[in-house]
Amino acid sequence: MKRLLLCAALLCGAAQAADDAALLAKARAIHDKVLTIDTHVDIPFDFGDGYDMMKPGPRRQQVHLPTMQSGGLKAPFLIVFVEQEERTTAGYAHALSQAFNKFASIHKLTEQTYPEQIGLALTSAEARRIAAGGKKVAFIGVENGYSMGKDLRLLDQFYDYGARYMGLVHNGHNDLGDSAQPKKNEPVAEWNGLSPLGKQVVARLNELGIMVDVSHSSDKTTRDIIAASKVPVIASHSAVMGVSVHARNMSDTALEALGKAGGVIQIVAFDPYLTVTPPEKLAAIAALNKEMGVSGPGEVEKLPAEKLATFEARMAEIQKKWPRSNVKNLVDHVDYAVKKIGIDHVGLASDFNGGGGIDGWNNAGETLNVTLELVRRGYTEDQIAKIWGGNLLRVMDAVQAARKK
Ligand SMILES: [Zn+2]
């Protein structure tokens, strides 16, 4: 205020620029020091034999080694995700083969393709050691317990393959519990929370030392999981209802229970969760999808080149007319969660390659922008280190310490 009164407009501009440069330098110094963990990075839909997820090739490939390098993203959890399909023997078999395929591709990445650049971490100590050696760190998370069908024994195998967290549900209810987003033909609740098998899964994950992830669970399922788990749980990619209302966001009640139990919410850079998308925008996107014959996830990638270019140009127009959420919106959710449950219980996730990405953090190369906003809001280096991974590793350590020998 004083400065505004004292200096002429031109000088103020110069002073502002100097402030910005100082802030950026401070943010960069902190960012370089802390272990930046992003708890949710998908393997793109169109990956397959010979597909190289660390190359910038395919559309929506938001994370690869050069952008991780330039943006200072050090440690992504790579996600073994399966879409929720029919709960039949054939459906379970298909899901499991997809899951194994993704486990294998992550091992291939870290053990054969780029062993000098990125290493798989199974513990927090390994992660810190790999990062100290100048390499990127990969962790493995499982999204959607549908991949285990009803076979609890598979969880042991997931652990052996390196899974260190597992989310029980995705979009649509499954055998383990109710989803925050039921499919169109489904009732709001099928189990009224966690199913009996879901309870057994939580118990087995506790015994194995795999973190339980409540993201995508309904509010009741989330609270059931927190109550059932003997150790802290995580929300690997969620935002909060207190800032923006969305079925995928955590209610205050669930958030408080998560914090009280020692867990952590990883605030996700997913546009529709951070701010409410205007209905006009949703209608415009739906109309475009219909016109282009895009009916589900992964369909856009299959469009012929010319049609894809048209699709992207038209989508860019829509995004311009109704801008996406930005880094300030993301940090609004961080601020809220920190005020509600404390600095020790909040972290970050991108959901890159899975629909994530906002203005200012749309790929791994822009990761510094998040730290910059945290610094701008007054978070200290210690606090930023906690948000960028310290908290998550604390939970991982606690869960692994409780692993049944
Ligand atoms: Zn997800």
Side-chain angles (χ1 to χ4, degrees), residues 340-357:
K340 202 90 191 159
I341 59 173
I343 188 73
D344 294 326
H345 305 283
V346 185
L348 290 160
S350 66
D351 208 355
F352 285 148
N353 303 334

Side-chain angles (χ1 to χ4, degrees), residues 114-184:
Y114 298 111
E116 304 305 319
Q117 286 95 332
I118 185 165
L120 180 65
L122 303 177
T123 64
S124 67
E126 274 182 17
R128 294 191 200 279
R129 198 181 59 233
I130 294 166
K135 283 201 241 178
K136 300 297 181 191
V137 181
F139 294 98
I140 300 179
V142 173
E143 182 172 34
N144 199 0
Y146 173 59
S147 54
M148 60 155 267
K150 296 181 182 180
D151 188 352
L152 280 168
R153 293 168 308 175
L154 285 170
L155 297 178
D156 293 62
Q157 219 165 333
F158 290 177
Y159 181 87
D160 291 342
Y161 287 171
R164 289 300 178 264
Y165 79 67
M166 182 168 122
L168 270 49
V169 295
H170 191 249
N171 297 333
H173 308 316
N174 66 17
D175 298 302
L176 312 186
D178 294 339
S179 166
Q181 295 177 297
K183 299 217 175 202
K184 268 189 193 122

Side-chain angles (χ1 to χ4, degrees), residues 302-311:
K302 292 179 195 151
L303 291 175
E306 203 175 305
K307 218 172 166 189
L308 179 61
T310 311
F311 180 92

